[in-house]
Amino acid sequence: MAAFKDITGQRFGRLTVTKFIGQARGRGAMWQCACVCGGTAVTSGGHLRSGHTLSCGCVQRERTGAASKVSNRTHGHSIGGR
């Protein structure tokens, strides 16, 4: 098992690292994280440090929800406008 840097307590985006989970083959150290929205995520330290993982998925859900409110139109026309 390779040595790893303990990142417990560090914050990456909306995630705060809570505990070391173990080593994953080919992915390195895996960490459990708490999100500011109350969710949890398990991800590799490399993904946290590179910025690849910044939340438990809540950011994507927020973006999708906001986009769907705007994209319920066809080619810029409002629904039922004709």
Side-chain angles (χ1 to χ4, degrees), residues 24-36:
R25 188 179 319 171
R27 294 180 66 192
M30 299 298 291
W31 300 90
Q32 182 175 356
C33 304
C35 188
V36 295

Side-chain angles (χ1 to χ4, degrees), residues 58-81:
C58 60
V59 172
Q60 183 63 35
R61 288 189 296 274
E62 289 170 7
R63 287 180 183 163
T64 302
S68 68
K69 291 175 186 170
V70 173
S71 67
N72 283 338
R73 301 177 188 177
T74 304
H75 304 290
H77 301 285
S78 64
I79 298 173

